[in-house]
Amino acid sequence: MSGRVTAVSSNGEYSFTKPNRDSITLLAGLGVEGDVHAGVTVKHRSRVAQDPTQPNLRQVHLMHEELFAEVAADGFEVAPGELGENITTAGIDLLGLPAGTLLRIGDSAVLEVTGLRNPCLQIDTFQDGLLKRVVGRDEAGNVVRKAGIMSVVREGGVVRPGDRIEAELPAGPHRALERV
């Protein structure tokens, strides 16, 4: 399974959106160099309030640009970085990957998929009604989260738009992604 990077984004300050960059540097065990969410322990404000010693399973946020076309059909206009992701992708089913999948990006970066992003009410502050488009329920009533996946950096490297992404699925029985 493969895809490509269409945009990269980071922000050194807490903000819902992240500006696009020419490149980002991933640091092993930390996240995106200079990004507010980089670190060994949690950086998301609500998680820090719960327990600041929790491991940071949300070092790098990836989102599929196919979601932008999906929400555009409902009248929402979303561009790369505007929902807070660090890496925008195309051509790879991020939401269908099992936990523990390794994503090899560009020349040397390797991410390990930890889970699904759990979108918050800030999405409706960005565009009213958008939260219902990125979190919903399936026919069985199960919650479906579409706002991308979270990962940790296993091997650092520079990531740029146009870089190839190769997914390496974990051995053994696969675990479906859960929110992290």
Side-chain angles (χ1 to χ4, degrees), residues 14 36-58:
Y14 279 103
V36 71
H37 291 104
V40 174
T41 56
V42 293
K43 301 300 174 197
H44 194 275
R45 289 177 173 168
S46 66
R47 293 170 193 276
V48 168
Q50 291 172 354
D51 178 2
T53 66
Q54 295 177 70
N56 188 1
L57 302 177
R58 301 166 54 99

Side-chain angles (χ1 to χ4, degrees), residues 67-169:
L67 178 64
F68 304 155
E70 183 180 325
V71 299
D74 293 323
F76 296 95
E77 204 171 305
V78 180
E82 289 186 333
L83 294 181
E85 76 276 11
N86 300 110
I87 300 175
T88 309
T89 69
I92 186 167
D93 180 12
L94 296 177
L95 302 178
L97 297 172
T101 297
L102 297 180
L103 298 174
R104 298 182 184 283
I105 305 175
D107 294 333
S108 60
V110 179
L111 299 176
E112 181 179 340
V113 176
T114 56
L116 295 167
R117 175 188 183 192
N118 189 33
C120 64
L121 291 174
Q122 286 184 336
I123 289 179
D124 273 350
T125 303
F126 172 67
Q127 288 186 40
D128 190 41
L130 184 57
L131 182 61
K132 287 183 180 178
R133 300 298 179 255
V134 298
V135 178
R137 295 202 178 268
D138 64 15
E139 302 78 34
N142 300 310
V143 175
V144 176
R145 293 174 178 84
K146 300 179 186 177
I149 63 171
M150 307 308 285
S151 64
V152 295
V153 182
R154 292 297 177 218
E155 295 179 32
V158 175
V159 176
R160 296 178 179 84
D163 281 351
R164 187 167 175 78
I165 304 168
E166 291 290 335
E168 182 181 318
L169 301 179

Side-chain angles (χ1 to χ4, degrees), residues 22-43:
D22 293 331
S23 67
I24 56 173
T25 300
L26 302 181
L27 303 173
L30 295 174
V32 179
E33 181 177 48
D35 192 80
V36 71
H37 291 104
V40 174
T41 56
V42 293
K43 301 300 174 197

